[in-house]
Amino acid sequence: MKNMSITLRPMSANTGMEVLGIDLREPMGEQAYLEMRHALCDTGIICFHGQQLSPAHHLAFAKRFGAVPPAEFLKTPDGFPEIGIVAKQPGETRNIGGNWHSDHSFDSQAPLGAVLYARELPKSGGDTLFANMGAAFDSLSDGMKETLRGLEAVHAKAQSWHADTRPDRAVSPAELARHDEEFKDRQCVHPVVTRHPETGREILFVNPTYTSHFVGWAYAESRALLDYLFAHATSPENSCRFHWEEGSMVFWDNRSALHYALNDYHGQRRVMHRATIYAPG
Ligand code: SIN
């Protein structure tokens, strides 16, 4: 039966909306689609529980919201090059996404969002945190807002290996140099305050994984203000925690939300499927 109408339930004061009363295997009516898109843009994420989705259902849902190109940097399931496998095996210590970030902010056209579906979960742990960067900007002082509106920041993929960003990664200077060289073209400059393309809301667009410094500022000067902004943005008031269950799916708005995959389930397997969505060119 076609999904005609849905019910929305806030996940926290400022971040996230749970969508109830929908079976994502069924075709989606226009009204349900518009309500979900609105909730996504307003609160940064929408989530679902109790779904039973094949990769084809997952992909069809994602494609309703934009273009889904082949996954980059990740393995993919047979027949579905657009679906990236986000996995951590029992013997691994590092996970994917284990620090606050927005996906691909080092590219000039970062994704609209991503839809992550749980395939295999640890018995405990492996939650994902989300922060609403519109709410984060709104709750700054007028003076800070005005300062930030005049700034641009550099976002670089290689920054994610730098010690100030990820002390836990502890790569050697040689490995760091290799990443800097390999990804020297994966960096760009974004305004620190962007406007959400669908709501017009101002968004604090920096993140602890890829943002290295403000244009025209020294790294040390930048770090002091960036660290303040990161702590503010990811405070409990601006964020929420999503607990995965079998059949859970989350769609985050990558233009206005940060996310953080907790890495607290060593010795267990966690396998997720991710479809990354781009706004039509
Ligand atoms: C990611 O950053 O895409 C991974 C999120 C997660 O596994 O919860």
Side-chain angles (χ1 to χ4, degrees), residues 74 86-87 95-99 101 103 114 116 126-130 244 252 259-262 265 270 272 274:
L74 296 172
V86 175
N95 70 339
I96 293 173
N99 192 29
H101 64 289
D103 294 330
L116 192 69
D127 292 355
T128 308
L129 311 180
F130 294 92
W244 294 93
W252 63 82
H259 57 286
Y260 183 141
L262 292 177
Y265 53 95
R270 180 178 183 272
M272 318 293 276
R274 189 177 76 196

Side-chain angles (χ1 to χ4, degrees), residues 24-177:
L24 295 172
R25 291 172 299 186
E26 303 297 335
M28 199 193 309
E30 187 64 10
Q31 181 63 23
Y33 163 74
L34 290 174
E35 284 177 33
M36 280 191 268
R37 187 151 193 143
H38 192 73
L40 175 79
C41 293
D42 266 359
T43 70
I45 78 163
I46 52 175
C47 72
F48 309 84
H49 288 293
Q51 303 297 319
Q52 290 179 295
L53 304 182
S54 65
H57 293 128
H58 179 185
L59 191 56
F61 174 81
K63 282 185 168 170
R64 184 77 188 258
F65 290 83
V68 184
E72 204 188 4
F73 304 127
L74 296 172
K75 290 191 175 136
T76 61
D78 285 348
F80 293 94
E82 302 93 339
I83 293 184
I85 301 174
V86 175
K88 182 181 171 222
Q89 304 300 337
E92 291 179 314
T93 53
R94 291 180 190 165
N95 70 339
I96 293 173
N99 192 29
W100 285 107
H101 64 289
S102 51
D103 294 330
H104 286 238
S105 73
F106 47 80
D107 290 335
S108 53
Q109 212 219 326
L112 176 161
V115 185
L116 192 69
Y117 183 64
R119 290 274 165 215
E120 194 175 335
L121 293 170
K123 283 198 170 52
S124 63
D127 292 355
T128 308
L129 311 180
F130 294 92
N132 181 338
M133 301 301 276
F137 186 75
D138 288 350
S139 52
L140 291 167
S141 68
D142 288 345
M144 178 64 89
K145 285 179 183 162
E146 208 40 45
T147 302
L148 296 177
R149 285 187 187 109
L151 296 179
E152 295 179 313
V154 176
H155 297 240
K157 176 157 176 63
Q159 179 66 20
S160 62
W161 284 278
H162 282 243
D164 51 357
T165 302
R166 290 296 296 270
D168 58 311
R169 281 194 164 183
V171 297
S172 67
E175 192 182 341
L176 193 55

